[in-house]
Amino acid sequence: MSQVAEVQVGMASCGIAAGAEPVFQFFAQNLAQGKVQVKPVGCLGMCFSEPLVAVVTEDGERFVYGPVDVKKAERILAEHVRGGTPVEDLLAKENGFFTKQVRIVLENCGMIDPTSIDEYIRRGGYEALQKVLREMTPAEVIEEITKSGLRGRGGAGFPTGTKWSFAAKEKDPVKFVVCNGDEGDPGAFMDRSVLEGDPHRVIEGMIIAGYAIGAQEGIVYVRAEYPLAVRRVRQAIAAAEARGFLGRNILGSSFSFRITVKEGAGAFVCGEETALIASVEGKRGMPRRRPPYPAQHGLWGHPTVINNVETLANVPWIIRHGWEAFARYGTEKSKGTKVFALAGKVRHSGLVEIPMGLTLGELVLEVGGGIPGGKAFKAVQIGGPSGGCLPAALAHVPVDYESLKEHGAIMGSGGLIVMDEDTCMVEVARFFLDFTQKESCGKCTFCRVGTKRMLEILSGIVEGKGRPEDLEVLMDLGQKVKTYSLCGLGQTAPNPVLTTLRYFRDEYEAHVREKRCPARVCRALLTYRIEPELCRDCKLCTKACPVGAIVQGAGKFQVIQEEKCIRCGRCREVCPFGAVSVR
Amino acid sequence: MSEKTSGPKVHAWLEEFRKYPKNESSVIPLLQLVQEREGYVPAQAVRAIARYTGVREAQVYGVATFYAQFRFQPRGRHLIRLCQGTACHVQGADSILDHLKEKLKVEEGGTTEDGLFTLEVVRCLGCCSLAPVMMIDDTTYGRLTRRAVDKVLAEYRKEGK
């Protein structure tokens, strides 16, 4: 048995939220003296087992434990770190989580201390930058990226090499590279994890992009809701400057480049590139007409390349390994991998990176480990509020830009929410529309007013006031909002409604015709009832009811008075005998 | 309005403003700076920012009101941000919101009578696998239940400050 060299604790935002801090402190205090290093690392991806602790031996063998609290940490310290025997029963169960994953963007995430530039360098970091500056012309860099088939990972999938070549052609001596880290999709945390767990990778990608298009300045635009990511990026920039990877005459070449950070201020629409530019300039983040595209006329009128965090994180890998290695993964038109944030009703919620072309079924049932609690897999919502809900029947659809689009969804930035039989698709559609409606900047009439009317109709349906003709109006209005909106927000806002109408029409019909919610979610359509034969008359429900709607029945059981009931479900939650039913 | 663009606070802000270029691109960073210091954006700060950057006051207001981050009223000592992102929504964040409103006796955006908490709803804190989630100041609490919320609130109340 080889000696333990390192104890790593996953300390991304979510790890800390799950309670990693006291575990880290425990190891740090107890191993302050001696040879074993204790270090914080980024997201390991296995969010479902957080807090996570990895014990690494001198031979490089890794044992991942989770979920770990201080009590379990005591055992790991005594038995494994000091005793040399892995604690089998505390190891995190990955059950095939990693089997189908390919890690390019996430190769370092959760493996290195993100605050240490040396660890990044030890794993091949900044090699790509050296190669580019010493051996390649800007045109060759662009050609390499073009050949690799890398496409924008922010959602739309525009070929990255082509975008760069447009900006490179411009004669303007002032150009910019902007890293879009305004990850506003509810249900997405890929960019946060990469920025927190491996910030240098994104910085390196930006410098290479800058060299390729002839820019001197880069801006990282990050959501203010991600304070740790902002901090890590700032640290990384300072460290890269100190080593001469950023600044004047990088690595002795004639190329100079600097990077600054801008914090977003909470506007979903700023993920759209022209709105993002307006925001960096200090204006209201409203999109404008394209063309001219930012690659020709961007920030302060200068050519600007805007790439998503994940897109840029792919760049150093492609340069280091060559375009062929990257293009080996994926399908004909979608190369490489895609990072997804798996969440919702799925066993292995977490951060995963899969080769393009894996099917939705493989992603949810194998990588994601299926649905917890023996419930049925019903649908996935892919692409956030701009994406669509695809039913379990489409589990054979491969995850690539074209196939998803064909079925009404989009790749999006990588949020993937799994839904089970307890999720009401009408309500989910309402939820997403509520989001986009509030985030609409108000510039285009259809996006501003059309989404509002659609939301009113949907709210009516879930409140039991739906009419059969509503469904046609929704379809019609949805199409018009898509057609007559200027930017991606409006053009995609109706997608969740249109896809659920397409794949779950029967649920809409049940709501409007029978005033029934098949998933038993929409409160106004529910009836709560206490089954007399199951009720033990303990009166817990009566005490819990906030409106006093539960009274003594004619016998040893309680009864809900329907006219008083507000359908909050509190009685069902507290009943120890499962006597409260919902219909 | 009786507030002026002078006074001790304005001087302190202007001191810090000097690190930023005197143009439009500084409007958002300066609003963020003031809110970080004061917990909200007071009217005289808007005026000071307008003067410093050379942007019209109305335009600074236009920018400040466009973005969800900025607040124009002082907030409670602790800021509760309850996540209503997709994952949290699917995992029942609605009932947590109802519970918080009931316990704190405030609506969304409101501040408790004792000034201890302000309740805000946000879209996605990016900790989806721990849904439902809330943040109090910079600390994130995950896998919330009604009982867990009570426990957390009680801890803050006990500290009292």
Side-chain angles (χ1 to χ4, degrees):
Chain A
M1 195 79 221
S2 94
Q3 290 278 312
V4 169
E6 235 174 55
V7 174
Q8 307 174 341
V9 183
M11 301 276 279
S13 290
C14 43
I16 294 171
E21 191 77 54
V23 174
F24 178 76
Q25 292 305 338
F26 172 81
F27 282 112
Q29 277 160 18
N30 283 284
L31 294 168
Q33 270 109 40
K35 282 193 308 197
V36 180
Q37 283 212 16
V38 180
K39 68 183 189 194
V41 295
C43 175
L44 286 94
M46 300 164 71
C47 308
F48 55 93
S49 287
E50 290 208 90
L52 290 157
V53 172
V55 175
V56 186
T57 68
E58 278 171 350
D59 302 345
E61 214 181 336
R62 277 168 67 90
F63 298 85
V64 180
Y65 293 99
V68 178
D69 54 18
V70 174
K71 210 171 234 163
K72 288 177 181 162
E74 284 170 8
R75 278 189 63 198
I76 295 167
L77 180 73
E79 294 172 36
H80 195 172
V81 180
R82 297 217 165 107
T85 319
V87 193
E88 296 288 343
D89 60 308
L90 296 184
L91 288 172
K93 292 171 190 60
E94 53 120 346
N95 298 329
F97 179 68
F98 289 110
T99 316
K100 291 206 165 162
Q101 290 196 49
V102 172
R103 299 210 149 200
I104 291 177
V105 171
L106 300 179
E107 65 176 337
N108 294 336
C109 226
M111 311 290 267
I112 61 167
D113 176 352
T115 60
S116 158
I117 190 169
D118 288 316
E119 293 205 9
Y120 178 65
I121 293 171
R122 212 170 299 137
R123 289 179 62 99
Y126 291 108
E127 266 174 31
L129 179 65
Q130 298 186 27
K131 184 175 167 187
V132 160
L133 292 180
R134 297 202 171 125
E135 302 165 21
M136 297 170 85
T137 63
E140 283 167 351
V141 175
I142 293 176
E143 196 190 329
E144 187 82 10
I145 298 298
T146 306
K147 278 191 184 156
S148 76
L150 176 66
R151 295 169 64 175
R153 298 293 193 249
F158 192 81
T160 307
T162 313
K163 199 184 238 184
W164 290 11
S165 72
F166 289 155
K169 270 189 215 125
E170 294 296 314
K171 296 276 183 290
D172 193 331
V174 179
K175 296 178 189 177
F176 296 97
V177 174
V178 176
C179 168
N180 185 349
D182 190 44
E183 182 173 61
D185 290 32
F189 52 93
M190 302 77 50
D191 295 352
R192 174 179 66 72
S193 301
V194 173
L195 291 172
E196 285 180 0
D198 196 9
H200 281 288
R201 179 178 212 86
V202 182
I203 302 294
E204 189 180 0
M206 283 179 79
I207 306 171
I208 294 171
Y211 175 73
I213 69 161
Q216 307 75 31
E217 200 178 334
I219 294 165
V220 186
Y221 189 89
V222 198
R223 288 179 84 196
E225 285 92 335
Y226 289 172
L228 185 60
V230 172
R231 217 159 49 233
R232 291 268 160 86
V233 172
R234 289 215 164 104
Q235 278 170 346
I237 292 171
E241 280 169 353
R243 297 294 172 95
F245 296 130
L246 270 175
R248 283 188 176 281
N249 302 101
I250 296 173
L251 300 172
S253 71
S254 60
F255 174 60
S256 303
F257 195 71
R258 61 186 213 106
I259 296 181
T260 51
V261 178
K262 281 267 180 187
E263 288 181 51
F268 177 65
V269 71
C270 288
E272 203 277 343
E273 51 182 22
T274 59
L276 190 150
I277 288 174
S279 177
V280 174
E281 290 174 350
K283 302 188 176 78
R284 292 162 71 92
M286 289 163 98
R288 63 158 172 82
R289 241 189 130 78
R290 297 180 303 179
Y293 287 92
Q296 282 116 27
H297 187 96
L299 199 54
W300 294 297
H302 300 292
T304 304
V305 156
I306 301 171
N307 284 140
N308 167 269
V309 170
E310 191 184 334
T311 314
L312 290 165
N314 272 299
V315 169
W317 195 95
I318 295 171
I319 299 289
R320 220 161 3 108
H321 298 267
W323 67 267
E324 298 96 334
F326 186 79
R328 244 201 337 262
Y329 298 109
T331 63
E332 197 199 330
K333 286 184 176 162
S334 305
K335 299 292 185 198
T337 59
K338 178 77 193 92
V339 180
F340 283 100
L342 268 181
K345 306 289 182 76
V346 63
R347 232 181 240 129
H348 300 161
S349 56
L351 198 66
V352 305
E353 182 171 358
I354 55 156
M356 299 266 192
L358 205 73
T359 66
L360 281 174
E362 285 171 300
L363 178 52
V364 173
L365 302 174
E366 293 178 41
V367 178
I371 316 296
K375 303 265 180 170
F377 170 34
K378 183 173 182 179
V380 291
Q381 157 68 29
I382 187 164
S386 312
C389 289
L390 301 182
L394 291 179
H396 61 276
V397 170
V399 176
D400 64 61
Y401 292 99
E402 278 72 29
S403 308
L404 291 172
K405 199 168 176 189
E406 191 185 313
H407 292 93
I410 60 164
M411 178 76 79
S413 56
L416 197 139
I417 309 284
V418 181
M419 296 164 184
D420 68 4
E421 60 192 45
D422 291 340
T423 314
C424 170
M425 303 317 282
V426 184
E427 210 285 321
V428 163
R430 191 205 60 79
F431 168 78
F432 280 114
L433 204 69
D434 181 52
F435 176 83
T436 33
Q437 192 271 322
K438 284 184 182 141
E439 293 293 339
S440 168
C441 80
K443 185 167 185 163
C444 307
T445 314
F446 270 91
C447 179
R448 183 182 67 242
V449 187
T451 55
K452 178 106 186 151
R453 293 290 95 84
M454 286 176 76
L455 181 64
E456 283 165 5
I457 296 174
L458 282 166
S459 302
I461 294 177
V462 301
E463 280 158 21
K465 296 171 203 148
R467 300 161 306 169
E469 60 270 29
D470 283 347
L471 306 189
E472 294 320 309
V473 178
L474 277 178
M475 292 282 276
D476 181 56
L477 204 47
Q479 281 306 336
K480 287 187 176 135
V481 172
K482 274 175 87 97
T483 313
Y484 301 111
S485 295
L486 198 58
C487 85
L489 192 150
Q491 287 163 7
T492 57
N495 282 353
V497 183
L498 295 175
T499 48
T500 45
L501 268 169
R502 177 163 157 194
Y503 298 115
F504 300 95
R505 181 121 190 162
D506 51 330
E507 274 190 49
Y508 279 88
E509 300 275 354
H511 280 75
V512 295
R513 290 182 198 279
E514 304 161 40
K515 303 282 181 261
R516 182 174 66 83
C517 175
R520 292 178 296 193
V521 171
C522 299
R523 269 191 208 176
L525 304 178
L526 299 181
T527 319
Y528 281 86
R529 202 180 110 88
I530 296 170
E531 305 296 341
E533 60 276 18
L534 294 175
C535 179
R536 305 271 187 89
D537 210 19
C538 71
K539 300 187 181 62
L540 274 179
C541 57
T542 315
K543 284 187 201 116
C545 181
V547 291
I550 304 177
V551 294
Q552 191 69 44
K556 278 197 164 295
F557 58 89
Q558 300 289 301
V559 177
I560 299 172
Q561 295 175 297
E562 224 199 302
E563 62 286 359
K564 276 197 193 164
C565 175
I566 55 162
R567 302 169 179 95
C568 68
R570 210 73 67 86
C571 49
R572 194 166 140 88
E573 268 171 37
V574 298
C575 180
F577 312 110
V580 183
S581 66
V582 211
R583 216 155 286 156
Chain B
M1 269 188 252
S2 60
E3 288 164 300
K4 301 189 194 99
T5 41
S6 58
K9 266 189 179 166
V10 177
H11 281 299
W13 295 331
L14 286 174
E15 195 59 34
E16 289 195 71
F17 284 7
R18 286 202 296 194
K19 277 179 272 171
Y20 297 82
K22 279 191 162 191
N23 59 37
E24 195 178 12
S25 74
S26 300
V27 170
I28 295 172
L30 293 180
L31 286 165
Q32 285 169 332
L33 178 94
V34 170
Q35 180 153 302
E36 169 89 27
R37 298 283 179 279
E38 308 296 327
Y40 74 113
V41 181
Q44 73 254 45
V46 171
R47 224 160 297 149
I49 290 170
R51 188 166 294 178
Y52 183 81
T53 55
V55 171
R56 276 177 328 214
E57 202 179 322
Q59 204 179 326
V60 176
Y61 265 114
V63 171
T65 49
F66 182 84
Y67 296 96
Q69 191 186 5
F70 302 113
R71 231 174 282 113
F72 302 94
Q73 299 293 327
R75 64 168 173 82
R77 199 162 297 160
H78 300 290
L79 177 64
I80 303 180
R81 284 185 284 187
L82 178 74
C83 182
Q84 287 279 35
T86 320
C88 289
H89 179 75
V90 173
Q91 303 280 20
D94 267 350
S95 72
I96 301 292
L97 177 61
D98 288 347
H99 187 66
L100 277 168
K101 284 187 191 165
E102 196 183 310
K103 279 274 153 179
L104 302 173
K105 301 194 179 64
V106 290
E107 286 301 305
E108 285 177 43
T111 301
T112 53
E113 254 183 45
D114 57 4
L116 200 54
F117 298 107
T118 295
L119 175 64
E120 276 183 9
V121 167
V122 296
R123 302 296 186 146
C124 207
L125 294 166
C127 299
C128 309
S129 50
L130 299 174
V133 180
M134 69 175 174
M135 256 174 120
I136 300 187
D137 305 327
D138 276 341
T139 313
T140 313
Y141 298 89
R143 298 186 182 117
L144 293 178
T145 56
R146 287 197 177 101
R147 200 172 298 165
V149 168
D150 290 346
K151 227 173 104 188
V152 172
L153 291 184
E155 272 168 34
Y156 279 85
R157 283 230 163 89
K158 211 161 87 191
E159 287 167 26
K161 289 159 203 124

